[in-house]
Amino acid sequence: MNITEKIIARASGRNSVSPGDVVFANVDKLMIHDVSGPGVIKVFEEWAKKGIDLEKVWNADRVWIAEDHFVPSADRISAENITKLTNWAEKYGIKKHFKYGLGQYGICHTLSHEEALVLPGEFYIGGDSHTNTTGALGALAVGLGHTDIAYAMMHGRIWLKVPETILFKLIGKKPAHIMAKDIILKIISDIGTDGANYKAMEFAGNAVREMSMEERLTLTNMTTEAGAKNGIIEPDAVTDAYINERTSEIYKPILGDDPHYLEEFTFEIDNLEPIVAKPFSPENAAVARELQSIEVDKAYIGSCTGAKLEDLRSAARILKGKKVKIRTEVLPAAQSIYLKALKEGLIDIFMEAGAVVGPPTCGACCGAHMGILAKDEVCVSTTNRNFPGRMGHIESQTYLASPLVVAASAIKGKITDPRDVSK
Amino acid sequence: MTLKGIVHKYSKDNIDTDVILPGPYLKIHDHGELSKHAMEGIDADFSNKVSKGDFILAGTNFGCGSSREHAPIALSHSGISAVLAPSFARIFYRNCVDGGYLLPLEIERSTLEQVSDGDTLEIEIENNQIHDNTNGKNFSISPFPPLIKKIIDSGGLMYYKE
Ligand code: SF4
């Protein structure tokens, strides 16, 4: 069995499972945020009307809550959603509630690794499609809707179909101008946005082993854009070091043994060029240098995909001592990352370059608030989706790219390869 | 179970949840209010056109993108009883079934080409059959896997007994 199958087998109490099997599996960790949370509460309210009451959640210590999509509260409804969520969490004794303005908080998928809320070998479900991100820790991390989350919240179990797994072997040495973002955009352009529909995407190969945890997280984050059920990387020394810096909890890593894959792809990354996904699909890739005539109105460095500490460091490397030519927004993905960036002097670099630095939020990434795009505006962004209307007006456009490309583009006001800005 | 209704056809592949229910409305959890914005990203007039029981006919990978259950909720509360597409995105499909909102029906690509916008369909779920009353043709749907069928018959995951 490969790692995905082994975790499902463990969580469902079986000796083995095979692709296609449908099982009920025990959940180790569960996350909701300020969009899925009120949705889940609404499901409970509907069930209560039909006589099914939630007396307690299956395990309050294993549930955690992020406030990320609509914080800082954009309007009255968003504010009331936060109040509702807070009251609900208190009623059911959920203590891990990362509140905006109260210590550590941030984007849910960033907290999952920053706070080591999920550990290798665990089965983790979240009320958000990019829950896949956390698979980089060697966990089975799967995004689900409100009803499924509500069911699991009540029973501690949920049904799963064991997915087929596609293995992506990344080999070679990553050039300095290339980030994991370029690699995953390349993979998605090759296999398409439904290329891994219902399947697991596992990453291996020397290039993955040599990658930092944060870079690995970018790979798994965007498996969602290929339709995957989960993205996963077998844990190793890098994983252990990352987790042990953040928690003293004991965990039991799971590795594949005699693994089987539906398909295997090998990607050599030595000669990869910086890649950009053009509107309106993450699979719509082009080499950055081919797009250098595209004028851009805004550069966005934010989100669970592209505002981790190393993402900010990469952007700062390009922006140091430079001025941005277009409106540029930098939103660290969590409060802890913001603070680390501040201490390292990255925030000075961004502000001296003329960018605005904002609090962690999903706001602009999902076109909800905090800097959405006007009609016909063009954005180059470290985020993960560029569907019509994703970041604002239905006739706005988003180009997805690495933090290096976004920072370089901010300086030139056009899509720019990081090698083309002077040192 | 037999469903009867009119087809609203959007042939595009990859109709995503940002199109089915745009991001700014994610803060809304009132089902009636959500239904007013269904399919707003592709057809601003959608909610006025739909009658109870109607169908959406669409291209492959319908419902890709976010996990927002708002998407199937908005469709179902606007009156849609089933979406017919050659394939669905994983979370959207689960949400439809587990929430008991509407049926995701997998069809052949050729069915998408042969059924027109505005056709009246009768769909027999037990026999996996579609009758197009407008052009007289018959088509098949892929049978539901056993667990999915049981959840549908229970009225959603909550009412399903393991
Ligand atoms: S940052 Fe964007 S992609 Fe990530 S969870 Fe928030 S809205 Fe979703």
Side-chain angles (χ1 to χ4, degrees):
Chain A
M1 287 185 287
N2 61 46
I3 174 171
T4 296
E5 293 157 359
K6 277 186 73 176
I7 298 176
I8 297 177
R10 189 214 24 92
S12 60
R14 295 171 186 234
N15 291 331
S16 75
V17 295
S18 308
D21 290 356
V22 177
V23 300
F24 270 82
N26 293 323
V27 172
D28 295 304
K29 300 282 168 61
L30 187 158
M31 177 278 292
I32 51 173
H33 54 48
D34 60 345
V35 168
S36 54
V40 169
I41 296 170
K42 178 84 182 176
V43 173
F44 285 128
E45 286 167 1
E46 298 288 318
W47 288 350
K49 283 185 209 156
K50 295 173 187 158
I52 302 170
D53 271 316
L54 179 75
E55 282 153 21
K56 58 184 186 64
V57 305
W58 110 98
N59 189 335
D61 295 336
R62 292 180 171 270
V63 176
W64 57 282
I65 303 175
E67 293 180 2
D68 53 7
H69 279 65
F70 287 87
V71 294
S73 293
D75 51 34
R76 194 180 53 79
I77 298 177
S78 317
E80 282 165 5
N81 279 339
I82 298 288
T83 311
K84 193 190 250 180
L85 198 53
T86 305
N87 293 340
W88 188 86
E90 279 171 10
K91 179 171 169 200
Y92 288 99
I94 295 159
K95 303 218 171 55
K96 286 189 205 128
H97 183 173
F98 298 90
K99 293 193 68 60
Y100 173 82
L102 194 59
Q104 171 70 315
Y105 93 99
I107 298 170
C108 53
H109 312 303
T110 309
L111 294 176
S112 72
H113 58 87
E114 248 321 84
E115 292 294 310
L117 296 166
V118 177
L119 299 170
E122 289 188 336
F123 173 35
Y124 161 57
I125 62 172
D128 191 280
S129 61
H130 288 102
T131 300
N132 293 27
T133 312
T134 314
L137 301 176
L140 174 65
V142 178
L144 295 171
H146 309 161
T147 300
D148 283 340
I149 293 286
Y151 183 90
M153 193 91 87
M154 204 180 246
H155 300 282
R157 292 162 71 71
I158 193 66
W159 70 269
L160 279 182
K161 187 165 158 194
V162 181
E164 296 276 10
T165 300
I166 308 177
L167 182 71
F168 296 86
K169 252 195 206 152
L170 311 183
I171 55 166
K173 188 136 191 69
K174 191 168 63 148
H177 52 274
I178 291 298
M179 298 186 71
K181 181 68 172 281
D182 300 292
I183 301 172
I184 191 67
L185 287 175
K186 168 81 177 119
I187 291 174
I188 295 167
S189 81
D190 281 11
I191 67 170
T193 47
D194 58 357
N197 215 355
Y198 300 97
K199 301 190 177 74
M201 289 172 76
E202 182 177 333
F203 300 93
N206 80 291
V208 173
R209 294 294 143 219
E210 286 160 24
M211 249 180 223
S212 66
M213 184 48 68
E214 286 197 350
E215 282 283 87
R216 295 178 186 187
L217 285 153
T218 305
L219 294 179
T220 45
N221 176 277
M222 288 198 70
T223 58
T224 306
E225 276 53 61
K229 179 189 211 99
N230 68 306
I232 200 160
I233 297 172
E234 286 194 340
D236 59 11
V238 172
T239 320
D240 290 337
Y242 185 89
I243 303 271
N244 293 334
E245 258 174 49
R246 289 166 171 79
T247 180
S248 52
E249 263 188 76
I250 308 291
Y251 57 89
K252 246 212 193 128
I254 291 180
L255 301 174
D257 82 61
D258 197 10
H260 165 83
Y261 300 101
L262 177 69
E263 268 179 290
E264 295 192 23
F265 293 101
T266 302
F267 283 82
E268 292 178 24
I269 62 166
D270 305 74
N271 299 317
L272 201 62
E273 296 272 310
I275 306 262
V276 173
K278 299 180 286 183
F280 289 100
S281 173
E283 72 180 25
N284 208 2
V287 169
R289 277 183 176 158
E290 285 169 8
L291 300 175
Q292 48 191 342
S293 62
I294 307 277
E295 301 211 15
V296 185
D297 300 296
K298 153 168 158 170
Y300 187 77
I301 298 168
S303 86
C304 54
T305 323
K308 303 178 285 312
L309 187 60
E310 285 171 37
D311 297 320
L312 302 183
R313 281 182 188 148
S314 302
R317 209 168 84 209
I318 302 288
L319 289 170
K320 189 166 185 179
K322 298 275 182 2
K323 289 278 181 245
V324 296
K325 203 170 187 178
I326 51 173
R327 161 168 126 242
T328 301
E329 300 165 11
V330 183
L331 291 91
Q335 187 81 340
S336 56
I337 291 175
Y338 198 155
L339 187 61
K340 288 177 203 166
L342 184 74
K343 288 184 176 161
E344 283 186 19
L346 308 183
I347 304 299
D348 290 27
I349 294 173
F350 297 138
M351 293 187 74
E352 278 162 15
V356 66
V357 182
T361 177
C362 293
C365 171
C366 60
H369 65 115
M370 286 281 285
I372 64 176
L373 300 173
K375 183 171 183 292
D376 297 327
E377 275 198 315
V378 178
C379 177
V380 60
S381 174
T382 66
T383 54
N384 51 31
R385 286 195 178 130
N386 58 351
F387 302 130
R390 170 69 182 182
M391 294 187 79
H393 195 279
I394 194 90
E395 286 172 46
S396 62
Q397 299 180 27
T398 296
Y399 290 78
L400 305 174
S402 77
L404 289 172
V405 171
V406 173
S409 307
I411 293 169
K412 296 256 174 132
K414 293 181 174 184
I415 304 276
T416 304
D417 184 308
R419 289 169 293 183
D420 298 335
V421 286
S422 57
K423 285 280 157 336
Chain B
M1 184 182 1
T2 302
L3 308 175
K4 191 173 174 188
I6 291 169
V7 170
H8 302 272
K9 182 168 175 176
Y10 305 92
S11 315
K12 260 182 73 172
D13 291 339
N14 301 313
I15 292 179
D16 64 87
T17 52
D18 278 299
V19 165
I20 302 170
L21 198 278
Y25 306 120
L26 290 179
K27 62 191 175 209
I28 299 171
H29 293 280
D30 180 82
H31 294 176
E33 189 59 34
L34 282 174
S35 72
K36 293 183 198 157
H37 302 289
M39 300 298 273
E40 204 173 275
I42 196 168
D43 182 355
D45 203 29
F46 179 83
S47 65
N48 297 325
K49 290 187 197 162
V50 178
S51 305
K52 197 160 169 36
D54 282 0
F55 308 114
I56 285 178
L57 177 65
T60 54
N61 203 22
F62 187 87
C64 62
S66 97
S67 58
R68 63 191 69 164
E69 201 154 309
H70 304 60
I73 290 172
L75 294 180
S76 115
H77 282 259
S78 67
I80 296 295
S81 63
V83 178
L84 289 69
S87 67
F88 291 88
R90 183 187 73 82
I91 304 180
F92 180 84
Y93 186 97
R94 280 189 83 115
N95 285 346
C96 290
V97 169
D98 287 355
Y101 303 115
L102 50 87
L103 298 179
L105 303 176
E106 278 178 8
I107 53 169
E108 301 279 338
R109 180 100 220 173
S110 55
T111 309
L112 174 64
E113 283 145 22
Q114 292 181 59
V115 175
S116 308
D117 188 47
D119 283 7
T120 302
L121 305 184
E122 266 179 63
I123 304 178
E124 289 175 43
I125 299 298
E126 306 306 324
N127 306 331
N128 304 305
Q129 279 296 312
I130 302 174
H131 309 289
D132 187 327
N133 291 350
T134 308
N135 67 18
K137 292 182 185 163
N138 292 325
F139 308 98
S140 61
I141 47 181
S142 321
F144 288 111
L147 174 73
I148 302 282
K149 184 70 173 61
K150 281 187 209 150
I151 294 173
I152 290 169
D153 291 343
S154 313
L157 182 60
M158 195 54 208
Y159 310 103
Y160 169 79
K161 297 269 175 295
E162 246 186 89

